[in-house]
Amino acid sequence: TDTNPDTPTQIHIPFAWNNITLHATHPTTLRAHLTTTTPTSMEITLTDRTGAPVAHIGELVTRPITLDQLSAAAAPAAATELHVVEWVPTPPSDSPSPSPLGPVSVIGPDPLGLYDMVRDASGEAESCTAYDSLASLREAVDGGACVPARVLVTCVGDGDGHQEIPDAVRSVLGRVTECVQEWLADERFADAQLVVVTRNAVATRPGPEIRDLAAAPVWGLVRSARTENPDRFALLDLDGSAASDTSAAAQSDVLSEVLSARLPEAAVRDGGVHVPRLTRAADASGVLVPPADCASWRLDVTSKGTLGNLGLLPHPEGERPLEAHEIRVAMRAGGLNFRDVMVGLGMYPGDDARIGGEGAGVVVEVGAEVTSIAPGDRVMGLFPSGGLGPLGVTDHRWAARIPRGMTFNEAAVVPVVFLTAYYGLVDLAGLRAGERLLVHSAAGGVGMAAHQIARHLGADVYGTASTGKWDTL
């Protein structure tokens, strides 16, 4: 720390680690010996309790930061400086015709039909070539063929779904890593760009957009390679509607637009091109902002009929004085059920139902007649006025202490499904030991709760589930 005799003015924080050597990984206790090498760097030697070497850091470079900068970063206003990645449509080009593509090659398997699209976009068959591998392209260049300006390689997961996801990810990443290494090792391609093409492997908008989970990590791998070699790589993600909803000519035009612009990252969605841009979190579309001058709010729909109307609404019930039998809870987690979807869509009976009827948190205040629960208790329960927010109020008889070892996330999803199953099996059906029970959708929330309750009561349980949930069942 830099200081004057009275007040510190700045501190040095780690900036870069260089020349790191790891000797061992077993120690659980380390001793560190720091040696200053320059005013802004030091050498660090790490040993275990016996003095045996564990690691050596040849250089830790630091950078000064003032206390005023630290104070500014800690201020509430700093939260507004948070940025998120938002995919935005590319603006229409002012040019009447796109830039020429130049020679393009497609290597490896081509399940997305890239060769045909590029050939149609260029209008010249000789400007687009196809090879079964990067090695074949190198052989063609050795034989006198020109080096293409862009080389397209398709990366998709196991389309038949025969592989488990972790195995499929490992397989896909292995193939792409090998291709990237080969690409960088050949200096003849130093001025060319390798475009890795995926399909539905990146999320550009809210919703379950990623379909190819095995290929999704490829984006992180190629981004890392592009960080060190900015002009050598590009990423392109196509959507699943390319073959069915968009004409072949339109597909070719979009691909031509992406390749001509030499975009480092792009995604084709609904016939248009989208690119990632940094946006202030407060300005990003889809970001929900709590209401001003309101300490308590809740998640709900601003008008029923679509879940696209989600918003953070004032929740005066969270701040009002408690009735004698009520408790106030600082919410830590909330549960969502199919009931919440029906409430949002306006399909649930009654007009007073709200999204987020169950949750878990810590009791902060209790009513005058509450003796079974005290402030500081971890509880889970039902919150009819809405539990998806900072504060929830409920009748203390609708809450229970969370068992030791259970997390807030786990506890938040227990009340609705287990109370539903218990009411149906015990109060209505009177299930007893030795009886047989058939549970449909036994791998769903209520189904799994019914299974556990029935087993607890001593019943023989039979269950059905869709094929994809048999392992869970």
Side-chain angles (χ1 to χ4, degrees):
T1 304
D2 281 342
T3 65
N4 59 31
D6 299 316
T7 308
T9 59
Q10 63 181 18
I11 61 174
H12 289 261
I13 61 174
F15 178 75
W17 306 79
N18 299 318
N19 304 324
I20 300 175
T21 303
L22 181 66
H23 301 290
T25 58
H26 63 277
T28 57
T29 301
L30 293 178
R31 292 180 175 177
H33 184 268
L34 284 67
T35 303
T36 301
T37 53
T38 72
T40 59
S41 64
M42 63 184 70
E43 178 184 3
I44 303 176
T45 300
L46 302 175
T47 60
D48 62 16
R49 290 180 174 179
T50 67
V54 175
H56 179 262
I57 302 169
E59 183 184 46
L60 169 57
V61 180
T62 65
R63 289 289 184 269
I65 182 172
T66 66
L67 296 184
D68 290 340
Q69 289 174 301
L70 282 178
S71 299
T80 62
E81 301 303 317
L82 180 66
H83 287 68
V84 297
V85 175
E86 187 171 29
W87 290 78
V88 300
T90 56
S93 174
D94 295 332
S95 174
S97 59
S99 303
L101 287 180
V104 178
S105 292
V106 178
I107 61 173
D110 186 19
L112 305 181
L114 299 177
Y115 173 76
D116 292 334
M117 284 191 280
V118 174
R119 183 188 57 189
D120 294 342
S122 64
E124 300 177 3
E126 61 273 11
S127 66
C128 181
T129 53
Y131 301 92
D132 58 10
S133 65
L134 185 56
S136 299
L137 173 58
R138 289 202 303 268
E139 292 176 3
V141 173
D142 291 339
C146 67
V147 176
R150 296 166 190 80
V151 176
L152 277 58
V153 58
T154 301
C155 172
V156 294
D158 179 12
D160 297 330
H162 292 156
Q163 282 185 304
E164 294 291 336
I165 293 297
D167 295 332
V169 169
R170 191 176 298 110
S171 175
V172 171
L173 288 179
R175 294 198 306 268
V176 176
T177 299
E178 182 178 349
C179 182
V180 167
Q181 291 171 337
E182 286 186 49
W183 180 258
L184 293 174
D186 197 326
E187 291 299 324
R188 289 175 297 180
F189 299 127
D191 296 327
Q193 187 180 65
L194 181 68
V195 183
V196 179
V197 184
T198 58
R199 179 172 59 187
N200 293 130
V202 65
T204 64
R205 50 196 174 188
E209 202 176 19
I210 296 180
R211 304 295 183 186
D212 193 345
L213 291 176
V218 168
W219 276 67
L221 173 66
V222 176
R223 280 170 174 160
S224 298
R226 196 181 68 236
T227 299
E228 300 177 7
N229 306 271
D231 298 325
R232 301 289 302 277
F233 298 97
L235 286 158
L236 172 62
D237 190 73
L238 304 180
D239 59 2
S241 64
S244 58
D245 300 338
T246 310
S247 68
Q251 297 174 43
S252 299
D253 292 342
V254 170
L255 186 60
S256 174
E257 177 185 344
V258 173
L259 297 179
S260 299
R262 294 186 70 91
L263 299 172
E265 294 184 13
V268 176
R269 294 294 184 267
D270 302 324
V273 181
H274 293 67
V275 293
R277 294 290 183 263
L278 280 178
T279 306
R280 290 181 183 272
D283 300 331
S285 61
V287 174
L288 304 182
V289 180
D293 303 324
C294 183
S296 182
W297 46 263
R298 60 182 176 85
L299 176 69
D300 209 333
V301 288
T302 55
S303 60
K304 295 182 179 181
T306 172
L307 295 180
N309 293 333
L310 285 174
L312 303 183
L313 309 180
H315 185 222
E317 294 92 337
E319 300 177 276
R320 64 169 173 78
L322 295 178
E323 299 290 340
H325 58 279
E326 291 180 327
I327 61 175
R328 195 184 323 276
V329 179
M331 304 303 296
R332 297 292 187 269
L336 288 174
N337 297 278
F338 184 65
R339 168 190 179 277
D340 298 295
V341 177
M342 296 179 66
V343 170
L345 296 178
M347 301 170 61
Y348 195 81
D351 297 328
D352 57 347
R354 295 178 175 179
I355 290 178
E358 65 176 346
V362 178
V363 177
V364 294
E365 186 182 355
V366 299
E369 298 179 4
V370 178
T371 58
S372 59
I373 295 176
D377 286 346
R378 300 167 67 246
V379 297
M380 59 183 178
L382 302 178
F383 294 86
S385 65
L388 296 180
L391 293 173
V393 172
T394 187
D395 190 308
H396 76 281
R397 293 165 293 186
W398 294 350
R401 289 191 183 91
I402 298 175
R404 184 173 299 174
M406 182 179 287
T407 67
F408 286 116
N409 286 352
E410 293 168 339
V413 297
V414 166
V416 167
V417 294
F418 274 87
L419 288 173
T420 301
Y422 189 91
Y423 177 70
L425 296 178
V426 177
D427 291 1
L428 296 183
L431 185 66
R432 295 179 176 85
E435 293 184 327
R436 290 178 295 174
L437 175 71
L438 173 61
V439 180
H440 287 298
S441 297
V446 174
M448 288 191 287
H451 180 197
Q452 295 178 57
I453 292 173
R455 291 287 298 273
H456 172 73
L457 295 174
D460 293 330
V461 184
Y462 300 83
T464 68
S466 58
T467 306
K469 295 183 178 180
W470 281 5
D471 290 340
T472 300
L473 181 57

